[in-house]
Amino acid sequence: MLRKVNFYSICFAFGLSVLLILAGSRYTDNINYHPSIESRRNIRNFLRVEDGENLQSMYEPTITFPYYDSIDIEKLLNKTSFKIKYDLSTYNFEQSGVQKLDDLLLESGGKPIRSVIVSTWRSGTTFLGEVLNAMPGNFYHYEPFLKFEIVQIRGLPLSTEALSNIKNMLRCNFEGMEDYFEYGKKHLNQFRHNTRLWDHCKYKKELCFDAEFTGRFCKLFPFQSMKVVRVRLRLMQEILEDKELNVKVVLLIRDPRGVMQSRQHRDFCQPAPDCWKPELLCADMISDYVAAGRLLKQYPDKLMVLRYEELALNPVGTTQYLLKFLGLGMTPSIERFLSTHTSVEVAGVSSTFRISQDVPFRWKNVLDFNYVDDMQTVCKEAMDLWGYRLAHNSSHMTSKEFNPIMEYSVRQ
Ligand SMILES: *[C@@H]1O[C@H](CO)[C@@H](O)[C@H](O)[C@H]1NC(C)=O
Ligand SMILES: *[C@@H]1O[C@H](CO)[C@@H](O)[C@H](O)[C@H]1NC(C)=O
């Protein structure tokens, strides 16, 4: 009896404290949020979570509210739009081909500048995605297909859902995407990279699970970026030909030897043939090459191909070139991102944080030549097309003289 009473009183006390915590943490808007803490946390996330594949570890139980105040929501949207205006007050919109901010806002009947990075796992998309997200007023549709887990989407049947999701999201329409939100409830990482949305969701997780809110929030932003590592370029034709969306696509390619070396450290990769087999990676690279040639001919100003190694060797120049292609101007925030992520050592953060000249070529000193040799046998054609030089033997591979990259061009 006594035990039972104790049990109930403990339950009661626990319940009461949960209620108190909930009352105390009632949503507060984050305009006054301290950026120094925020940016440090982001830096850690950036390091820890790459390509969002920490499928198991990202689960976090969430506290759900039965409802939230509609007044709070209106205020939040209002403040967000005010903040975007403020952050872009010195931006020259002529660089984006328009007169003023409103011309880029869905909410005001304008058309946002939209970009999609198409790539595969461990090819530098995290870095490139963060560069674009350093742009003020950017809404980052981080990898929307985590829910498909570790597969490549090369055609039917998965492509139907994938393409319709991409189009809807770029229109800020999240209706009918229950799978996406359900997956996100258990894998908050799906939302965390969309920093401007996450700034609010981290206080009130269910905002991120709400299709209507996400859609309204998204419509306030003049720039939208997305990265997909599971959809092959060929399929993006359907997105490129959508004149209304007016999307620009960046195909990011990396030396398969660097990709495979980087994937070796990822638990998510090994059980999945699409991730683990170099012959599948390289077949996709050939398919992407052919698709790139065709699409560049059809849409010369809407597709850009980029090799990760070029980005790593010349981050500033390559970023300038990329921004120009996308119709974006360089901003102090992007400059700051590049300088903190490419040269300066951030306190307490290991050197892997930096993207520097040796990062793309680390595989040379890490991989076993027999493995590289086997890979080169199945990847020769893909490597020839994309301008990656073969290593002849172990000493050649590790020598300083061996430069793995050479000139290439996409035949149209
Ligand atoms: C939105 O914000 C503006 C400027 O801060 C203010 O004048 C306006 O009353 C606000 N509207 C609502 C509905 O809160
Ligand atoms: C390794 O390859 C290089 C470059 O082709 C060649 O000059 C060298 O003789 C080779 N070394 C051995 C041990 O085969």
Side-chain angles (χ1 to χ4, degrees), residues 8-24:
Y8 286 125
S9 54
I10 288 169
C11 285
F12 177 73
F14 179 71
L16 191 65
S17 45
V18 167
L19 279 178
L20 286 174
I21 291 168
L22 290 187

Side-chain angles (χ1 to χ4, degrees), residues 187-339:
H187 307 85
L188 291 176
N189 187 44
Q190 179 174 278
F191 307 113
R192 203 169 262 147
H193 293 259
N194 187 347
T195 45
R196 294 173 187 91
L197 179 62
W198 184 251
D199 275 350
H200 303 287
C201 300
K202 66 185 168 202
Y203 299 114
K204 232 174 161 42
K205 303 272 190 308
E206 68 272 33
L207 287 175
C208 264
F209 313 149
D210 184 323
E212 193 198 332
F213 170 75
T214 309
R216 289 187 65 193
F217 191 80
C218 168
K219 286 188 177 138
L220 305 175
F221 287 80
F223 310 116
Q224 289 183 29
S225 64
M226 180 186 280
K227 76 153 184 159
V228 290
V229 296
R230 289 163 175 81
V231 179
R232 298 327 318 145
L233 182 67
R234 195 175 69 78
L235 299 170
M236 294 302 288
Q237 166 128 19
E238 199 179 312
I239 307 291
L240 284 169
E241 70 196 13
D242 191 323
K243 286 207 178 68
E244 178 55 36
L245 275 183
N246 195 28
V247 176
K248 297 210 178 183
V249 171
V250 180
L251 174 67
L252 183 63
I253 291 288
R254 183 179 180 185
D255 188 327
R257 295 164 296 191
V259 172
M260 292 310 296
Q261 187 257 316
S262 181
R263 287 182 184 177
Q264 283 187 338
H265 306 288
R266 304 288 143 168
D267 294 341
F268 71 82
C269 195
Q270 205 160 348
D274 276 345
C275 195
W276 194 244
K277 295 200 155 161
E279 59 268 39
L280 294 180
L281 165 67
C282 290
D284 285 339
M285 288 177 70
I286 295 171
S287 150
D288 285 348
Y289 184 89
V290 174
R294 198 185 61 242
L295 293 174
L296 278 171
K297 201 165 163 184
Q298 281 177 280
Y299 309 102
D301 54 350
K302 288 191 174 192
L303 174 66
M304 175 175 158
V305 294
L306 183 63
R307 290 187 301 184
Y308 168 72
E309 292 78 10
E310 282 152 346
L311 182 63
L313 292 174
N314 180 10
V316 175
T318 309
T319 299
Q320 278 165 343
Y321 181 64
L322 173 71
L323 293 175
K324 192 151 195 268
F325 162 76
L326 294 175
L328 300 172
M330 183 58 101
T331 64
S333 54
I334 299 179
E335 277 168 359
R336 212 174 312 124
F337 180 88
L338 289 175
S339 74

Side-chain angles (χ1 to χ4, degrees), residues 380-398:
K380 186 175 182 313
E381 190 184 349
M383 291 174 64
D384 284 347
L385 293 173
W386 286 112
Y388 295 111
R389 206 174 260 124
L390 304 180
H392 297 155
N393 54 49
S394 179
S395 51
H396 180 231
M397 178 172 88
T398 51

